[in-house]
Amino acid sequence: MKIVEKYSHLNGEEYLIVHKPQLWQEVQDTIQKVDAGACRTKISKERDRLGELIYSPPGINKAFKEEFERLGWKERRNNFWVTSDTKLLRGIYDLPEKEQKKEIEAKGLTPIKSFNQTDFIKERVAVEVQLGKYSFVAYDLFVKHLSFYTSNIIDVGIEILPTKELQCMMSSGPSYYEREILNVIRQGRGVPAVPLILIGVEP
């Protein structure tokens, strides 16, 4: 695959160029090593393209997983506890997981265990390959990357998305780079409050 579009939010790319150039190169090399042609294996059942050979998102995801894991990138969970008391949540969010639970119980409330999970992390850089429904991208950008950043687990988040051209050769449903750039830009320069790189890829 190839990178055809790129957007740096809050100097995400600039940070990697200066502080983690080898990791940034690994991400770019990994994208180039993914053989999209080998993932064009799905026979469409949609009425307007019935029988057409289209790209398989699970196949592309698997190819990315194999390449990233070969270089030592690993999946990571960020566990935390929640409750309905918003004032309490604001006060405990930055605490370690066990302390969060204790604080909730001390208030006589029931702690609820929760977590966020990201596809790949290596040396405080997170990568999400998002070929699913459009709502998943918003969750990645405005919840998942931000959660890992505010929990001091990452310094930069990277979101890999299909461009509109690639998305048109997939099943209906996945979002695409051009749409998600608008969703970030229209929030203003400081939202989400985490350095990001959005990457648009094509075969």
Side-chain angles (χ1 to χ4, degrees), residues 134-135 137 141 161-164 167 173-186 198:
Y134 62 87
S135 57
V137 181
L141 297 176
L161 299 160
T163 63
K164 181 61 178 177
Q167 187 252 12
S175 192
Y176 52 92
Y177 173 87
E178 293 87 346
R179 173 185 176 136
E180 298 308 327
I181 283 298
L182 173 62
N183 287 339
V184 171
I185 289 174
R186 69 182 173 188
L198 278 72

Coordinates of all heavy atoms in Angstrom, one line a residue, residues 134-135 137 141 161-164 167 173-186 198:
Y134 N -17.8 4.0 10.3 CA -17.3 5.4 10.5 C -17.3 5.8 12.0 O -16.5 6.6 12.4 CB -18.1 6.3 9.7 CG -19.6 6.4 10.0 CD1 -20.1 7.2 11.0 CD2 -20.5 5.6 9.4 CE1 -21.4 7.3 11.4 CE2 -21.9 5.6 9.7 CZ -22.3 6.5 10.7 OH -23.6 6.5 11.1
S135 N -18.2 5.2 12.8 CA -18.3 5.6 14.2 C -17.1 5.2 15.0 O -16.7 5.8 16.0 CB -19.6 5.0 14.8 OG -19.6 3.6 14.7
V137 N -14.0 5.3 14.0 CA -12.9 6.3 13.8 C -13.0 7.4 14.9 O -12.1 7.9 15.5 CB -12.9 6.9 12.4 CG1 -11.7 7.9 12.3 CG2 -12.8 5.8 11.4
L141 N -10.3 8.6 17.7 CA -9.7 9.9 17.7 C -10.0 10.7 19.0 O -9.2 11.3 19.6 CB -10.1 10.7 16.5 CG -9.6 10.2 15.1 CD1 -10.2 11.0 14.0 CD2 -8.1 10.1 15.1
L161 N -6.2 5.2 7.7 CA -7.5 5.1 7.1 C -7.5 4.9 5.6 O -6.5 5.4 5.0 CB -8.3 6.4 7.4 CG -8.5 6.8 8.9 CD1 -8.8 8.3 9.0 CD2 -9.6 6.0 9.4
P162 N -8.5 4.3 5.0 CA -8.5 4.3 3.6 C -8.9 5.7 3.0 O -9.6 6.4 3.7 CB -9.7 3.3 3.3 CG -10.5 3.4 4.5 CD -9.6 3.6 5.7
T163 N -8.4 6.0 1.9 CA -8.9 7.2 1.2 C -10.3 6.9 0.6 O -10.7 5.7 0.6 CB -8.0 7.7 0.1 OG1 -7.9 6.6 -0.9 CG2 -6.6 8.0 0.6
K164 N -10.9 7.9 0.1 CA -12.2 7.7 -0.5 C -12.1 6.8 -1.7 O -13.0 5.9 -2.0 CB -12.8 9.0 -1.0 CG -14.2 8.9 -1.6 CD -15.2 8.3 -0.7 CE -16.6 8.2 -1.3 NZ -17.6 7.6 -0.5
Q167 N -11.9 3.3 -0.3 CA -13.2 3.0 0.4 C -14.3 2.6 -0.6 O -15.1 1.8 -0.4 CB -13.7 4.2 1.2 CG -14.9 3.9 2.1 CD -16.1 4.6 1.6 OE1 -16.1 5.2 0.4 NE2 -17.1 4.7 2.4
G173 N -19.9 1.2 4.4 CA -19.8 1.3 5.8 C -18.5 1.9 6.4 O -18.5 2.7 7.2
P174 N -17.3 1.5 5.9 CA -16.1 2.1 6.4 C -16.0 3.6 6.1 O -16.5 4.1 5.1 CB -14.9 1.4 5.6 CG -15.6 0.1 5.2 CD -17.0 0.4 4.9
S175 N -15.4 4.3 7.1 CA -15.2 5.7 6.8 C -13.9 5.9 6.0 O -13.3 4.9 5.5 CB -15.0 6.4 8.2 OG -15.0 7.8 8.0
Y176 N -13.6 7.1 5.7 CA -12.4 7.4 4.8 C -11.7 8.7 5.3 O -12.3 9.5 6.0 CB -12.9 7.5 3.4 CG -14.0 8.4 3.1 CD1 -13.8 9.8 2.8 CD2 -15.4 8.0 3.2 CE1 -14.9 10.6 2.5 CE2 -16.4 8.8 3.0 CZ -16.2 10.2 2.6 OH -17.2 11.0 2.4
Y177 N -10.5 8.8 4.9 CA -9.6 9.9 5.3 C -10.2 11.3 5.2 O -10.2 12.1 6.1 CB -8.3 9.7 4.5 CG -7.3 10.9 4.8 CD1 -6.4 10.8 5.8 CD2 -7.3 12.0 4.0 CE1 -5.5 11.9 6.1 CE2 -6.4 13.0 4.2 CZ -5.5 13.0 5.2 OH -4.7 14.0 5.5
E178 N -10.7 11.5 4.0 CA -11.2 12.9 3.7 C -12.3 13.3 4.6 O -12.4 14.5 5.1 CB -11.7 13.0 2.2 CG -10.5 12.9 1.2 CD -10.2 11.4 0.8 OE1 -10.7 10.5 1.6 OE2 -9.5 11.2 -0.2
R179 N -13.2 12.4 5.0 CA -14.3 12.7 5.9 C -13.8 13.0 7.3 O -14.2 13.9 8.0 CB -15.2 11.5 5.9 CG -16.3 11.6 6.9 CD -17.2 10.4 7.0 NE -18.2 10.4 8.0 CZ -19.4 10.1 7.9 NH1 -19.9 9.7 6.7 NH2 -20.3 10.2 8.9
E180 N -12.8 12.1 7.8 CA -12.3 12.3 9.1 C -11.5 13.5 9.3 O -11.4 14.0 10.4 CB -11.6 11.0 9.5 CG -12.5 9.7 9.5 CD -13.8 9.9 10.3 OE1 -13.8 10.6 11.3 OE2 -14.8 9.3 9.9
I181 N -10.8 13.9 8.3 CA -10.0 15.2 8.4 C -11.0 16.3 8.7 O -10.7 17.2 9.6 CB -9.2 15.5 7.1 CG1 -8.0 14.6 7.0 CG2 -8.8 16.9 7.0 CD1 -7.0 14.8 8.1
L182 N -12.1 16.4 8.1 CA -13.1 17.4 8.4 C -13.6 17.3 9.8 O -13.7 18.4 10.5 CB -14.3 17.3 7.4 CG -15.5 18.2 7.7 CD1 -15.0 19.7 7.6 CD2 -16.6 17.9 6.8
N183 N -13.8 16.1 10.3 CA -14.3 16.0 11.7 C -13.3 16.5 12.7 O -13.7 17.0 13.7 CB -14.6 14.5 11.9 CG -15.9 14.0 11.2 OD1 -16.7 14.8 10.9 ND2 -16.0 12.7 11.0
V184 N -12.0 16.4 12.4 CA -11.0 16.9 13.3 C -10.8 18.4 13.1 O -10.9 19.1 14.1 CB -9.6 16.2 13.0 CG1 -8.5 16.9 13.8 CG2 -9.6 14.7 13.4
I185 N -10.8 18.9 11.9 CA -10.6 20.3 11.7 C -11.7 21.2 12.2 O -11.5 22.2 12.8 CB -10.3 20.6 10.2 CG1 -9.0 20.0 9.7 CG2 -10.4 22.1 9.9 CD1 -8.8 20.1 8.2
R186 N -12.9 20.7 12.1 CA -14.0 21.6 12.5 C -14.2 21.7 14.0 O -15.0 22.5 14.5 CB -15.3 21.1 11.9 CG -15.8 19.7 12.3 CD -17.1 19.4 11.6 NE -17.6 18.1 11.9 CZ -18.5 17.5 11.2 NH1 -19.1 18.1 10.2 NH2 -18.9 16.2 11.5
L198 N -3.0 11.6 11.0 CA -4.0 10.8 10.3 C -3.4 10.5 8.9 O -2.8 11.4 8.2 CB -5.3 11.6 10.1 CG -6.3 11.6 11.2 CD1 -5.7 12.4 12.4 CD2 -7.6 12.2 10.8

